[in-house]
Amino acid sequence: MIGARESIQDCIARLDWTAMTRELDNFGCTIVKAALSREECRSIAAMYEQDDIFRSTIVMARHGFGRGEYKYWSYPLPTIVADLRTALYPPLAAVANRWNQLMKIDVNYPEAAHEEYLERCHAGGQTRPTPLLLSYDEGDWNALHQDVYGENIFPIQVAFLLSEPGKDFTGGEFVLTEQRPRMQSRVEVVSLQQGDGVAFAVSHRPVQGTKGAYRVNLRHGVSRLRSGHRNTIGIIFHDGK
């Protein structure tokens, strides 16, 4: 008899957060391995056709964002999307608080529950949900950018690959660039399997130098899709205006 699929919360809790935190500290990103099953990936991707559960659709070319489309979910979020947001927030909040201390940023994130942080966003006028579902076809790409939607910015976000590389699509790699003071930019290209996520810095992170920690700026994007179709979801922890 095949056992029941473990919950999103249990799946996230069993990850090696010590090693993942080390990667976030050293490189600004880490892989959230096998967080979603193949069936869950297909189920989420199929939501793209359900216009009534989204608050808006963005055609990237119209805004100079690249090529492709994405849709922002409305509240209430689908259960699996809400569960990912809730489960991922506490371990990432601990990292975010330590980063802010190192960068001498006077912002602290409640670590126990994501709902507490959302209350802060909503009190500041950021009430629109930001989790999004992205769709790329052959030739589509996403320009380097930062997902900032207001004054309240949670410094880490997560993107999950819903499609199977090599079968559903080729190309379309996740790219993270890091601009270091008085140095050339550094690039991370993250290879994901279906159901994997990548947690990464939204806009900046601390790097330890000879005279203490200093701040580096980051942007992320997606390289050109060579063939096929690619779906991903973005889990952003701050809401927008």
Side-chain angles (χ1 to χ4, degrees):
M1 179 177 178
I2 298 175
R5 160 71 172 167
E6 66 180 337
S7 69
I8 292 293
Q9 290 84 352
D10 289 343
C11 179
I12 299 303
R14 68 168 169 75
L15 296 172
D16 186 351
W17 282 101
T18 299
M20 292 166 62
T21 296
R22 188 182 307 117
E23 285 199 331
L24 277 168
D25 287 343
N26 291 336
F27 305 108
C29 62
T30 189
I31 293 179
V32 183
K33 193 68 179 175
L36 297 171
S37 68
R38 180 189 299 269
E39 292 72 24
E40 288 168 333
C41 288
R42 290 174 175 171
S43 175
I44 298 170
M47 294 181 192
Y48 201 80
E49 304 304 322
Q50 303 174 38
D51 287 338
D52 59 326
I53 64 174
F54 297 98
R55 65 175 176 85
S56 64
T57 299
I58 306 298
V59 179
M60 295 187 200
R62 293 177 185 171
H63 305 276
F65 296 164
R67 276 182 49 181
E69 289 185 359
Y70 56 89
K71 296 181 178 182
Y72 289 106
W73 272 287
S74 301
Y75 278 134
L77 299 173
T79 299
I80 192 168
V81 178
D83 286 349
L84 283 169
R85 221 181 184 198
T86 300
L88 287 163
Y89 175 82
L92 294 178
V95 177
N97 282 329
R98 184 166 46 79
W99 280 7
N100 278 5
Q101 290 175 357
L102 289 169
M103 293 184 290
K104 297 180 171 56
I105 297 174
D106 189 21
V107 176
N108 187 269
Y109 307 97
E111 295 185 15
H114 183 233
E115 188 61 36
E116 292 183 45
Y117 178 63
L118 285 181
E119 290 175 1
R120 182 187 302 176
C121 291
H122 296 174
Q126 294 176 218
T127 59
R128 306 177 76 189
T130 50
L132 65 162
L133 180 56
L134 301 100
S135 177
Y136 299 89
D137 288 316
E138 183 176 339
D140 289 350
W141 54 280
N142 195 353
L144 293 171
H145 66 285
Q146 299 171 332
D147 292 310
V148 176
Y149 299 96
E151 293 182 2
N152 290 290
I153 304 169
F154 190 79
I156 304 170
Q157 67 190 69
V158 188
F160 288 93
L161 179 61
L162 304 179
S163 306
E164 185 175 349
K167 181 178 180 181
D168 297 328
F169 71 96
T170 60
E173 292 86 2
F174 176 88
V175 177
L176 186 71
T177 64
E178 185 174 273
Q179 185 177 3
R180 298 170 293 174
R182 299 177 296 279
M183 300 175 70
Q184 293 182 330
S185 295
R186 188 182 68 86
V187 176
E188 284 279 332
V189 178
V190 182
S191 297
L192 300 174
Q193 297 301 311
Q194 186 179 38
D196 289 351
V198 53
F200 58 97
V202 173
S203 59
H204 53 257
R205 73 177 184 93
V207 172
Q208 193 65 36
T210 56
K211 298 181 180 180
Y214 62 94
R215 188 184 308 191
V216 296
N217 293 317
L218 297 100
R219 295 180 182 275
H220 64 278
V222 174
S223 68
R224 176 168 56 91
L225 208 71
R226 304 283 179 170
S227 64
H229 183 82
R230 176 185 186 270
N231 284 114
T232 59
I233 59 171
I235 302 296
I236 299 167
F237 298 95
H238 48 272
D239 277 351
K241 290 187 175 180

